[in-house]
Coordinates of all heavy atoms in Angstrom, one line a residue:
M1 N -21.8 7.0 3.6 CA -22.0 6.1 4.7 C -21.3 4.8 4.6 O -20.6 4.3 5.5 CB -23.5 5.8 4.9 CG -23.9 5.0 6.0 SD -25.6 5.1 6.3 CE -25.7 4.8 8.0
A2 N -21.3 4.2 3.4 CA -20.5 3.0 3.1 C -19.0 3.2 3.3 O -18.3 2.4 3.8 CB -20.8 2.4 1.8
T3 N -18.6 4.4 2.9 CA -17.2 4.8 3.0 C -16.8 4.8 4.4 O -15.7 4.4 4.8 CB -16.9 6.1 2.3 OG1 -17.3 6.1 1.0 CG2 -15.5 6.5 2.4
E4 N -17.6 5.4 5.3 CA -17.3 5.4 6.7 C -17.1 4.1 7.3 O -16.3 3.8 8.1 CB -18.4 6.2 7.5 CG -18.5 7.7 7.1 CD -19.7 8.3 7.7 OE1 -20.5 7.7 8.4 OE2 -19.9 9.5 7.5
K5 N -18.0 3.1 6.9 CA -17.9 1.8 7.4 C -16.6 1.1 7.0 O -16.0 0.4 7.8 CB -19.1 0.9 7.0 CG -20.4 1.3 7.7 CD -21.5 0.5 7.3 CE -22.8 0.9 7.9 NZ -24.0 0.1 7.5
V6 N -16.2 1.3 5.8 CA -15.0 0.7 5.3 C -13.8 1.3 6.0 O -12.9 0.5 6.5 CB -14.8 0.9 3.7 CG1 -13.4 0.5 3.3 CG2 -15.9 0.1 3.0
E7 N -13.8 2.6 6.1 CA -12.7 3.3 6.8 C -12.6 2.8 8.3 O -11.5 2.6 8.8 CB -12.8 4.8 6.7 CG -12.5 5.3 5.3 CD -12.6 6.8 5.1 OE1 -12.9 7.5 6.1 OE2 -12.5 7.2 4.0
Q8 N -13.8 2.7 8.9 CA -13.8 2.2 10.3 C -13.2 0.8 10.4 O -12.5 0.5 11.3 CB -15.2 2.3 10.8 CG -15.3 1.9 12.3 CD -16.8 2.0 12.8 OE1 -17.7 2.0 12.0 NE2 -17.0 1.9 14.1
A9 N -13.6 0.0 9.5 CA -13.1 -1.4 9.5 C -11.6 -1.5 9.3 O -10.9 -2.4 9.8 CB -13.8 -2.2 8.4
L10 N -11.1 -0.6 8.5 CA -9.6 -0.5 8.3 C -8.9 -0.1 9.5 O -7.7 -0.5 9.7 CB -9.3 0.4 7.1 CG -9.8 -0.1 5.7 CD1 -9.5 1.0 4.7 CD2 -9.2 -1.4 5.3
Q11 N -9.4 0.8 10.2 CA -8.7 1.4 11.4 C -8.9 0.6 12.7 O -8.0 0.7 13.5 CB -9.2 2.9 11.6 CG -8.8 3.8 10.4 CD -9.4 5.1 10.6 OE1 -10.2 5.4 11.5 NE2 -9.1 6.0 9.6
E12 N -10.0 -0.1 12.8 CA -10.2 -0.8 14.1 C -9.6 -2.2 14.0 O -10.0 -3.0 13.1 CB -11.7 -0.8 14.4 CG -12.3 0.5 14.7 CD -13.8 0.5 15.0 OE1 -14.3 -0.6 15.0 OE2 -14.3 1.5 15.3
P13 N -8.8 -2.6 14.9 CA -8.3 -4.0 14.9 C -9.4 -4.9 15.3 O -10.3 -4.5 16.0 CB -7.2 -3.9 16.0 CG -7.4 -2.8 16.8 CD -8.2 -1.8 16.0
T14 N -9.3 -6.1 14.8 CA -10.4 -7.1 15.0 C -9.8 -8.4 15.4 O -8.7 -8.7 14.9 CB -11.3 -7.2 13.9 OG1 -12.3 -8.2 14.2 CG2 -10.6 -7.6 12.6
T15 N -10.4 -9.1 16.2 CA -10.0 -10.5 16.6 C -10.7 -11.5 15.7 O -10.4 -12.7 15.8 CB -10.2 -10.8 18.0 OG1 -11.6 -10.6 18.3 CG2 -9.4 -9.9 18.9
A16 N -11.6 -11.1 14.9 CA -12.4 -12.0 14.0 C -11.4 -12.5 12.9 O -10.5 -11.9 12.5 CB -13.6 -11.3 13.4
P17 N -11.7 -13.7 12.4 CA -10.9 -14.2 11.3 C -11.0 -13.3 10.1 O -12.0 -12.7 9.9 CB -11.4 -15.6 11.1 CG -12.7 -15.7 11.7 CD -12.8 -14.6 12.8
A18 N -10.0 -13.3 9.3 CA -9.9 -12.4 8.1 C -11.1 -12.8 7.2 O -11.4 -14.0 6.9 CB -8.6 -12.6 7.3
Q19 N -11.8 -11.8 6.7 CA -12.9 -12.0 5.8 C -12.4 -11.5 4.4 O -12.3 -10.3 4.2 CB -14.1 -11.3 6.2 CG -14.6 -11.7 7.5 CD -15.8 -10.8 8.0 OE1 -16.2 -9.8 7.4 NE2 -16.4 -11.2 9.1
P20 N -12.2 -12.5 3.5 CA -11.7 -12.1 2.2 C -12.6 -11.0 1.5 O -12.0 -10.1 0.8 CB -11.7 -13.4 1.4 CG -11.7 -14.5 2.4 CD -12.4 -13.9 3.6
E21 N -13.9 -11.1 1.6 CA -14.7 -10.1 0.9 C -14.5 -8.7 1.5 O -14.5 -7.7 0.7 CB -16.2 -10.5 1.1 CG -16.6 -11.8 0.6 CD -16.3 -13.0 1.5 OE1 -16.0 -12.8 2.7 OE2 -16.5 -14.1 1.0
L22 N -14.3 -8.6 2.8 CA -14.0 -7.3 3.4 C -12.6 -6.8 2.9 O -12.5 -5.6 2.6 CB -14.0 -7.4 4.9 CG -13.7 -6.1 5.6 CD1 -14.7 -5.0 5.3 CD2 -13.8 -6.3 7.1
L23 N -11.6 -7.6 2.8 CA -10.3 -7.2 2.4 C -10.4 -6.8 0.9 O -9.8 -5.8 0.5 CB -9.3 -8.4 2.6 CG -8.8 -8.6 4.0 CD1 -8.0 -9.9 4.0 CD2 -8.0 -7.4 4.5
V24 N -11.1 -7.5 0.1 CA -11.2 -7.1 -1.3 C -11.9 -5.8 -1.5 O -11.5 -4.9 -2.2 CB -11.9 -8.2 -2.2 CG1 -12.2 -7.7 -3.6 CG2 -11.0 -9.5 -2.2
S25 N -13.0 -5.7 -0.7 CA -13.7 -4.4 -0.8 C -12.9 -3.3 -0.3 O -12.8 -2.2 -0.9 CB -14.9 -4.5 0.2 OG -15.6 -3.3 0.2
A26 N -12.1 -3.5 0.7 CA -11.3 -2.4 1.3 C -10.1 -2.0 0.3 O -9.9 -0.8 0.1 CB -10.6 -2.8 2.6
V27 N -9.5 -3.0 -0.3 CA -8.4 -2.7 -1.2 C -8.9 -2.0 -2.5 O -8.2 -1.1 -3.0 CB -7.5 -3.9 -1.5 CG1 -8.2 -4.9 -2.5 CG2 -6.2 -3.6 -2.0
L28 N -10.1 -2.4 -3.0 CA -10.6 -1.7 -4.1 C -11.0 -0.3 -3.8 O -10.7 0.7 -4.6 CB -11.9 -2.4 -4.6 CG -11.6 -3.8 -5.3 CD1 -12.9 -4.5 -5.6 CD2 -10.8 -3.7 -6.5
H29 N -11.5 -0.1 -2.6 CA -11.8 1.3 -2.1 C -10.5 2.1 -2.0 O -10.5 3.3 -2.5 CB -12.5 1.2 -0.8 CG -12.9 2.5 -0.1 ND1 -13.9 3.2 -0.5 CD2 -12.3 3.2 0.9 CE1 -14.0 4.3 0.2 NE2 -13.0 4.3 1.0
L30 N -9.5 1.6 -1.4 CA -8.2 2.3 -1.3 C -7.6 2.6 -2.6 O -7.1 3.7 -2.8 CB -7.3 1.4 -0.4 CG -7.6 1.3 1.0 CD1 -6.8 0.2 1.7 CD2 -7.4 2.6 1.7
M31 N -7.7 1.7 -3.6 CA -7.1 1.9 -4.9 C -7.9 3.1 -5.6 O -7.2 3.9 -6.3 CB -7.2 0.6 -5.8 CG -6.3 -0.4 -5.4 SD -6.6 -1.9 -6.4 CE -5.1 -2.8 -6.2
S32 N -9.2 3.2 -5.4 CA -9.9 4.3 -6.0 C -9.5 5.6 -5.4 O -9.4 6.6 -6.1 CB -11.4 4.1 -5.9 OG -11.8 4.2 -4.6
H33 N -9.2 5.6 -4.1 CA -8.8 6.8 -3.4 C -7.3 7.2 -3.9 O -7.0 8.3 -4.0 CB -8.8 6.6 -1.9 CG -10.1 6.9 -1.3 ND1 -10.6 8.2 -1.1 CD2 -11.1 6.1 -0.8 CE1 -11.7 8.2 -0.5 NE2 -12.1 6.9 -0.4
Y34 N -6.5 6.2 -4.1 CA -5.2 6.4 -4.6 C -5.2 7.1 -5.9 O -4.5 8.1 -6.1 CB -4.4 5.1 -4.7 CG -2.9 5.3 -5.1 CD1 -1.9 5.6 -4.2 CD2 -2.6 5.2 -6.5 CE1 -0.6 5.7 -4.6 CE2 -1.3 5.4 -6.9 CZ -0.3 5.7 -5.9 OH 1.0 5.9 -6.3
T35 N -6.0 6.6 -6.8 CA -6.2 7.3 -8.1 C -6.7 8.7 -8.0 O -6.3 9.6 -8.7 CB -7.1 6.4 -9.0 OG1 -6.5 5.1 -9.1 CG2 -7.2 7.0 -10.4
A36 N -7.7 8.9 -7.2 CA -8.4 10.2 -7.0 C -7.5 11.2 -6.4 O -7.6 12.4 -6.7 CB -9.6 10.0 -6.2
H37 N -6.5 10.8 -5.5 CA -5.7 11.7 -4.8 C -4.2 11.6 -5.2 O -3.3 11.8 -4.4 CB -5.8 11.4 -3.3 CG -7.2 11.6 -2.8 ND1 -7.7 12.9 -2.6 CD2 -8.1 10.8 -2.4 CE1 -9.0 12.7 -2.2 NE2 -9.2 11.5 -2.1
S38 N -4.0 11.2 -6.5 CA -2.6 11.0 -6.9 C -1.7 12.2 -6.9 O -0.5 12.2 -7.0 CB -2.6 10.4 -8.3 OG -3.1 11.3 -9.2
Q39 N -2.3 13.4 -6.8 CA -1.5 14.7 -6.7 C -0.9 14.9 -5.4 O 0.1 15.6 -5.2 CB -2.4 15.9 -7.1 CG -3.0 15.7 -8.5 CD -2.0 15.6 -9.6 OE1 -0.9 16.2 -9.6 NE2 -2.2 14.7 -10.5
E40 N -1.4 14.3 -4.3 CA -1.0 14.5 -3.0 C 0.1 13.4 -2.7 O -0.3 12.3 -2.2 CB -2.1 14.4 -2.0 CG -3.2 15.4 -2.2 CD -4.5 15.2 -1.5 OE1 -4.4 14.4 -0.5 OE2 -5.5 15.7 -1.8
S41 N 1.3 13.7 -2.9 CA 2.4 12.6 -2.9 C 2.5 12.0 -1.6 O 2.7 10.7 -1.5 CB 3.7 13.2 -3.4 OG 4.1 14.2 -2.5
R42 N 2.5 12.7 -0.5 CA 2.7 12.1 0.8 C 1.6 11.1 1.2 O 1.9 10.0 1.7 CB 2.8 13.2 1.9 CG 3.3 12.7 3.2 CD 4.8 12.3 3.1 NE 5.2 11.8 4.4 CZ 6.1 10.9 4.6 NH1 6.6 10.3 3.5 NH2 6.4 10.5 5.8
S43 N 0.4 11.5 1.0 CA -0.7 10.7 1.3 C -0.8 9.4 0.4 O -1.2 8.4 0.7 CB -2.1 11.4 1.3 OG -2.4 11.8 0.0
C44 N -0.3 9.6 -0.9 CA -0.3 8.5 -1.8 C 0.7 7.5 -1.4 O 0.5 6.3 -1.6 CB 0.1 9.0 -3.2 SG -1.4 9.8 -4.0
I45 N 1.8 7.8 -0.8 CA 2.8 6.8 -0.3 C 2.1 6.0 0.8 O 2.2 4.8 0.8 CB 4.0 7.5 0.2 CG1 4.8 8.2 -0.9 CG2 4.9 6.5 0.9 CD1 5.9 9.1 -0.4
R46 N 1.4 6.7 1.7 CA 0.7 5.9 2.8 C -0.4 5.0 2.2 O -0.5 3.9 2.6 CB 0.1 6.9 3.7 CG 1.1 7.6 4.6 CD 0.5 8.5 5.6 NE 1.5 9.3 6.2 CZ 1.3 10.6 6.4 NH1 0.2 11.2 6.0 NH2 2.3 11.3 6.9
L47 N -1.2 5.5 1.2 CA -2.2 4.7 0.6 C -1.6 3.5 -0.1 O -2.1 2.4 0.0 CB -3.0 5.6 -0.4 CG -4.2 6.3 0.2 CD1 -4.8 7.2 -0.9 CD2 -5.3 5.4 0.7
A48 N -0.6 3.8 -0.8 CA 0.1 2.7 -1.6 C 0.6 1.6 -0.6 O 0.5 0.4 -0.9 CB 1.2 3.2 -2.5
S49 N 1.1 2.0 0.5 CA 1.6 1.1 1.5 C 0.4 0.3 2.1 O 0.6 -1.0 2.3 CB 2.3 1.9 2.6 OG 2.8 1.0 3.6
V50 N -0.7 0.9 2.4 CA -1.8 0.2 2.9 C -2.4 -0.8 1.9 O -2.8 -1.9 2.2 CB -2.9 1.2 3.4 CG1 -4.2 0.5 3.8 CG2 -2.4 2.0 4.6
I51 N -2.4 -0.3 0.6 CA -2.9 -1.2 -0.5 C -2.0 -2.4 -0.6 O -2.5 -3.6 -0.7 CB -2.9 -0.4 -1.8 CG1 -4.0 0.6 -1.8 CG2 -3.1 -1.4 -3.0 CD1 -4.0 1.7 -2.9
E52 N -0.7 -2.2 -0.5 CA 0.3 -3.3 -0.6 C 0.0 -4.3 0.5 O 0.0 -5.5 0.3 CB 1.7 -2.8 -0.6 CG 2.8 -3.8 -0.7 CD 3.2 -4.4 0.6 OE1 3.2 -3.7 1.6 OE2 3.6 -5.6 0.5
R53 N -0.2 -3.8 1.8 CA -0.4 -4.7 2.9 C -1.7 -5.5 2.7 O -1.8 -6.7 3.1 CB -0.4 -3.9 4.2 CG 1.0 -3.5 4.6 CD 1.1 -3.0 6.0 NE 0.0 -2.0 6.4 CZ 0.1 -0.7 6.4 NH1 1.2 -0.1 6.0 NH2 -0.9 0.1 6.8
H54 N -2.8 -4.9 2.3 CA -4.0 -5.6 2.0 C -3.9 -6.7 1.0 O -4.4 -7.8 1.2 CB -5.1 -4.6 1.6 CG -5.8 -3.9 2.7 ND1 -5.2 -2.9 3.5 CD2 -7.0 -4.0 3.3 CE1 -6.0 -2.4 4.4 NE2 -7.1 -3.1 4.3
L55 N -3.2 -6.3 -0.1 CA -3.0 -7.4 -1.1 C -2.2 -8.5 -0.6 O -2.4 -9.7 -0.9 CB -2.3 -6.7 -2.4 CG -3.2 -5.8 -3.2 CD1 -2.4 -5.0 -4.1 CD2 -4.3 -6.6 -3.9
K56 N -1.2 -8.2 0.2 CA -0.3 -9.3 0.8 C -1.2 -10.1 1.7 O -1.0 -11.4 1.7 CB 0.8 -8.6 1.6 CG 1.8 -9.6 2.3 CD 2.6 -10.3 1.3 CE 3.6 -11.2 2.0 NZ 3.6 -12.6 1.6
A57 N -2.0 -9.5 2.5 CA -2.9 -10.3 3.4 C -3.8 -11.2 2.6 O -4.0 -12.4 3.0 CB -3.7 -9.3 4.3
L58 N -4.3 -10.7 1.5 CA -5.2 -11.5 0.6 C -4.4 -12.7 0.0 O -4.9 -13.8 0.0 CB -5.8 -10.7 -0.5 CG -7.0 -9.8 -0.1 CD1 -7.3 -8.8 -1.1 CD2 -8.2 -10.7 0.2
A59 N -3.2 -12.4 -0.4 CA -2.3 -13.5 -1.0 C -2.0 -14.6 0.0 O -1.8 -15.7 -0.4 CB -1.1 -12.8 -1.5
D60 N -2.0 -14.2 1.3 CA -1.7 -15.2 2.3 C -2.9 -16.0 2.8 O -2.7 -16.9 3.7 CB -1.0 -14.5 3.5 CG 0.4 -13.9 3.2 OD1 1.0 -14.4 2.2 OD2 0.8 -13.1 3.9
L61 N -4.1 -15.7 2.3 CA -5.3 -16.4 2.8 C -5.4 -17.8 2.0 O -5.6 -17.8 0.8 CB -6.5 -15.6 2.5 CG -6.7 -14.4 3.4 CD1 -8.0 -13.6 3.0 CD2 -6.8 -14.8 4.9
P62 N -5.3 -18.9 2.8 CA -5.4 -20.2 2.1 C -6.7 -20.5 1.5 O -6.8 -21.4 0.6 CB -5.0 -21.2 3.2 CG -5.3 -20.5 4.5 CD -5.1 -19.0 4.2
E63 N -7.8 -19.9 2.0 CA -9.1 -20.2 1.4 C -9.4 -19.5 0.1 O -10.5 -19.9 -0.5 CB -10.2 -19.9 2.5 CG -10.4 -18.5 2.8 CD -9.6 -18.0 4.1 OE1 -8.6 -18.7 4.4 OE2 -9.9 -17.0 4.6
L64 N -8.6 -18.7 -0.3 CA -8.8 -18.0 -1.7 C -8.4 -19.0 -2.8 O -7.5 -19.8 -2.6 CB -8.0 -16.7 -1.8 CG -8.5 -15.5 -1.0 CD1 -7.6 -14.3 -1.4 CD2 -9.9 -15.2 -1.3
A65 N -9.1 -18.8 -3.9 CA -8.7 -19.6 -5.1 C -7.2 -19.3 -5.5 O -6.8 -18.1 -5.3 CB -9.6 -19.2 -6.2
P66 N -6.5 -20.3 -5.9 CA -5.1 -20.1 -6.3 C -4.9 -18.9 -7.2 O -3.9 -18.2 -7.1 CB -4.7 -21.4 -6.9 CG -5.6 -22.4 -6.2 CD -6.9 -21.7 -6.1
V67 N -5.7 -18.8 -8.2 CA -5.5 -17.7 -9.2 C -5.6 -16.4 -8.6 O -4.9 -15.4 -8.9 CB -6.4 -17.9 -10.4 CG1 -7.9 -17.6 -10.1 CG2 -6.0 -16.9 -11.6
L68 N -6.6 -16.2 -7.6 CA -6.8 -14.9 -6.9 C -5.6 -14.7 -6.0 O -5.1 -13.5 -5.9 CB -8.1 -14.9 -6.2 CG -8.5 -13.7 -5.5 CD1 -8.5 -12.5 -6.4 CD2 -9.9 -13.8 -4.8
R69 N -5.1 -15.7 -5.3 CA -4.0 -15.5 -4.4 C -2.7 -15.1 -5.2 O -2.0 -14.3 -4.8 CB -3.7 -16.9 -3.7 CG -4.7 -17.1 -2.6 CD -4.6 -18.4 -1.9 NE -3.2 -18.5 -1.3 CZ -2.6 -19.6 -1.0 NH1 -3.1 -20.8 -1.4 NH2 -1.4 -19.6 -0.5
A70 N -2.5 -15.8 -6.4 CA -1.4 -15.4 -7.2 C -1.5 -14.0 -7.7 O -0.5 -13.3 -7.7 CB -1.3 -16.4 -8.4
T71 N -2.7 -13.6 -8.1 CA -2.9 -12.2 -8.6 C -2.6 -11.2 -7.5 O -1.9 -10.2 -7.7 CB -4.3 -12.0 -9.1 OG1 -4.5 -12.9 -10.2 CG2 -4.5 -10.6 -9.6
C72 N -3.1 -11.5 -6.3 CA -2.9 -10.6 -5.1 C -1.4 -10.5 -4.8 O -0.9 -9.4 -4.5 CB -3.7 -11.0 -3.9 SG -5.5 -10.7 -4.1
Q73 N -0.7 -11.6 -4.9 CA 0.8 -11.7 -4.6 C 1.5 -10.8 -5.6 O 2.4 -10.0 -5.2 CB 1.3 -13.1 -4.6 CG 2.8 -13.2 -4.4 CD 3.2 -12.7 -3.0 OE1 2.5 -13.0 -2.0 NE2 4.3 -12.0 -2.9
Q74 N 1.2 -11.0 -6.9 CA 1.8 -10.2 -7.9 C 1.5 -8.7 -7.7 O 2.5 -7.9 -7.8 CB 1.4 -10.7 -9.3 CG 2.0 -10.0 -10.5 CD 1.5 -10.4 -11.8 OE1 0.4 -11.0 -11.9 NE2 2.3 -10.3 -12.8
L75 N 0.3 -8.4 -7.5 CA -0.1 -6.9 -7.3 C 0.6 -6.4 -6.0 O 1.0 -5.2 -6.0 CB -1.6 -6.8 -7.2 CG -2.3 -7.0 -8.6 CD1 -3.8 -7.0 -8.3 CD2 -1.9 -5.9 -9.6
S76 N 0.7 -7.2 -5.0 CA 1.4 -6.8 -3.8 C 2.8 -6.4 -4.0 O 3.3 -5.4 -3.6 CB 1.3 -7.9 -2.7 OG 2.1 -7.6 -1.6
E77 N 3.5 -7.2 -4.8 CA 4.9 -6.9 -5.2 C 5.0 -5.6 -6.0 O 5.9 -4.8 -5.8 CB 5.5 -8.1 -5.9 CG 5.7 -9.3 -5.1 CD 6.0 -10.6 -5.8 OE1 6.1 -10.5 -7.1 OE2 6.0 -11.6 -5.2
Q78 N 4.0 -5.4 -6.9 CA 4.0 -4.2 -7.7 C 3.8 -2.9 -6.9 O 4.5 -1.9 -7.0 CB 3.0 -4.3 -8.8 CG 3.4 -5.3 -9.9 CD 2.3 -5.5 -10.9 OE1 1.3 -4.8 -11.0 NE2 2.5 -6.4 -11.8
W79 N 2.9 -3.0 -5.9 CA 2.6 -1.9 -5.0 C 3.8 -1.6 -4.1 O 4.1 -0.5 -3.8 CB 1.3 -2.1 -4.3 CG 0.1 -1.8 -5.1 CD1 -0.7 -2.6 -5.8 CD2 -0.4 -0.5 -5.3 NE1 -1.7 -2.0 -6.4 CE2 -1.5 -0.6 -6.2 CE3 -0.1 0.8 -4.9 CZ2 -2.3 0.4 -6.6 CZ3 -0.9 1.9 -5.4 CH2 -2.0 1.7 -6.2
A80 N 4.5 -2.7 -3.7 CA 5.6 -2.6 -2.8 C 6.7 -1.8 -3.6 O 7.4 -0.9 -3.0 CB 6.1 -3.9 -2.4
A81 N 6.9 -2.1 -4.9 CA 7.9 -1.4 -5.7 C 7.5 0.1 -5.8 O 8.4 1.0 -5.7 CB 8.0 -2.0 -7.0
I82 N 6.2 0.4 -5.9 CA 5.8 1.8 -6.0 C 6.1 2.5 -4.6 O 6.6 3.6 -4.7 CB 4.3 1.9 -6.2 CG1 3.9 1.4 -7.7 CG2 3.7 3.3 -6.0 CD1 2.5 1.3 -8.0
V83 N 5.8 1.9 -3.5 CA 6.1 2.4 -2.2 C 7.6 2.7 -2.1 O 8.1 3.7 -1.6 CB 5.6 1.6 -1.1 CG1 6.1 2.0 0.3 CG2 4.1 1.5 -1.1
E84 N 8.4 1.7 -2.4 CA 9.9 1.8 -2.3 C 10.4 2.9 -3.1 O 11.3 3.7 -2.7 CB 10.5 0.5 -2.6 CG 12.0 0.4 -2.4 CD 12.6 -0.9 -2.7 OE1 12.0 -1.9 -2.5 OE2 13.8 -0.9 -3.2
K85 N 9.9 3.0 -4.3 CA 10.4 4.1 -5.2 C 10.0 5.5 -4.7 O 10.8 6.4 -4.9 CB 9.8 3.9 -6.6 CG 10.3 4.9 -7.6 CD 9.7 4.6 -9.0 CE 10.1 5.6 -10.0 NZ 9.5 5.4 -11.3
A86 N 8.9 5.6 -4.0 CA 8.4 6.9 -3.6 C 9.0 7.3 -2.2 O 8.9 8.5 -1.9 CB 6.9 6.9 -3.5
M87 N 9.5 6.4 -1.5 CA 10.0 6.7 -0.2 C 11.3 7.6 -0.3 O 12.1 7.4 -1.2 CB 10.4 5.4 0.6 CG 9.3 4.6 1.0 SD 8.1 5.4 2.1 CE 9.0 5.4 3.5
P88 N 11.3 8.6 0.6 CA 12.5 9.5 0.5 C 13.8 8.8 1.0 O 13.7 7.9 1.8 CB 12.2 10.6 1.5 CG 11.1 10.1 2.4 CD 10.4 9.0 1.6
Q89 N 14.9 9.1 0.3 CA 16.1 8.5 0.7 C 16.6 9.0 2.0 O 16.4 10.1 2.4 CB 17.2 8.8 -0.3 CG 17.0 8.2 -1.7 CD 18.2 8.6 -2.6 OE1 18.9 9.6 -2.4 NE2 18.5 7.7 -3.6
P90 N 17.3 8.1 2.8 CA 17.8 8.6 4.1 C 18.8 9.7 3.8 O 19.5 9.7 2.7 CB 18.5 7.4 4.6 CG 17.9 6.2 4.0 CD 17.4 6.7 2.6
E91 N 19.0 10.6 4.7 CA 19.9 11.8 4.6 C 21.3 11.4 4.2 O 21.9 12.0 3.4 CB 19.9 12.6 5.9 CG 20.6 13.9 5.8 CD 20.0 14.9 4.7 OE1 18.8 14.9 4.6 OE2 20.8 15.6 4.0
R92 N 21.8 10.3 4.8 CA 23.2 9.9 4.5 C 23.3 9.6 3.0 O 24.3 9.9 2.4 CB 23.5 8.6 5.3 CG 23.9 8.8 6.7 CD 24.4 7.6 7.3 NE 23.8 6.4 6.8 CZ 23.6 5.3 7.4 NH1 23.9 5.2 8.7 NH2 23.0 4.2 6.8
L93 N 22.4 8.8 2.5 CA 22.5 8.5 1.0 C 22.4 9.7 0.2 O 23.1 9.8 -0.9 CB 21.4 7.5 0.7 CG 21.5 6.1 1.3 CD1 20.4 5.2 0.9 CD2 22.9 5.5 0.9
R94 N 21.6 10.7 0.5 CA 21.5 11.9 -0.3 C 22.8 12.7 -0.2 O 23.2 13.2 -1.2 CB 20.3 12.8 0.2 CG 19.0 12.3 -0.3 CD 17.9 13.2 0.1 NE 17.4 12.8 1.4 CZ 16.6 13.5 2.1 NH1 16.2 14.6 1.8 NH2 16.2 13.0 3.3
L95 N 23.4 12.7 1.0 CA 24.6 13.4 1.1 C 25.7 12.7 0.3 O 26.5 13.4 -0.4 CB 25.0 13.5 2.6 CG 26.4 14.2 2.9 CD1 26.4 15.6 2.4 CD2 26.7 14.1 4.4
L96 N 25.8 11.4 0.4 CA 26.7 10.7 -0.3 C 26.6 10.9 -1.8 O 27.6 11.0 -2.5 CB 26.7 9.2 0.0 CG 27.6 8.2 -0.7 CD1 29.1 8.6 -0.3 CD2 27.3 6.8 -0.3
S97 N 25.3 10.8 -2.3 CA 25.1 10.9 -3.7 C 25.5 12.3 -4.2 O 26.0 12.5 -5.3 CB 23.7 10.6 -4.1 OG 22.8 11.6 -3.5
R98 N 25.3 13.4 -3.3 CA 25.7 14.7 -3.7 C 27.2 14.8 -3.7 O 27.8 15.4 -4.6 CB 25.2 15.7 -2.7 CG 23.7 16.1 -3.0 CD 23.3 17.3 -2.2 NE 22.7 16.7 -1.0 CZ 22.7 17.3 0.2 NH1 23.3 18.4 0.5 NH2 22.2 16.7 1.3
L99 N 27.9 14.2 -2.8 CA 29.4 14.2 -2.8 C 30.0 13.5 -4.0 O 30.9 13.9 -4.6 CB 29.9 13.6 -1.5 CG 29.6 14.4 -0.2 CD1 30.1 13.7 1.0 CD2 30.3 15.8 -0.3
V100 N 29.4 12.3 -4.3 CA 29.9 11.5 -5.4 C 29.5 12.1 -6.7 O 30.3 12.1 -7.6 CB 29.4 10.0 -5.2 CG1 29.8 9.2 -6.5 CG2 30.0 9.4 -4.0
G101 N 28.3 12.6 -6.8 CA 27.8 13.1 -8.1 C 28.2 14.5 -8.4 O 28.0 14.9 -9.5
S102 N 28.8 15.2 -7.5 CA 29.1 16.7 -7.7 C 30.4 16.8 -8.5 O 31.3 16.1 -8.3 CB 29.2 17.4 -6.4 OG 30.3 16.9 -5.7
P103 N 30.3 17.7 -9.5 CA 31.5 17.9 -10.4 C 32.6 18.6 -9.5 O 32.3 19.4 -8.7 CB 31.0 18.7 -11.5 CG 29.8 19.4 -11.1 CD 29.2 18.5 -10.0
R104 N 33.8 18.3 -9.8 CA 34.9 18.9 -9.0 C 35.7 19.9 -9.8 O 35.9 19.9 -10.9 CB 35.9 17.8 -8.5 CG 35.1 16.9 -7.6 CD 36.1 16.1 -6.8 NE 35.4 15.2 -5.9 CZ 35.2 15.3 -4.6 NH1 35.8 16.3 -4.0 NH2 34.6 14.4 -4.0

């Protein structure tokens, strides 16, 4: 039941001001799902991307304590690197790397 409420809050846009407690709760929930579903690579990329966006949103909240904002910023950057590394290369780059890397 609590999971449904968190997922609903994540999916439904809101005009209410950002609530740090809700964002922290959501990102912790998402991180636990990421760990539990780490074998499903495609969904993990999406989860990692959502986690990164939540951490970035927390880092941008001026009402958070500076140490928490700095931690969220650092973690956001780390999750962004995970997402970037996991994203498939565009077809052109794969073709180019095959052409350059293939023995003649």
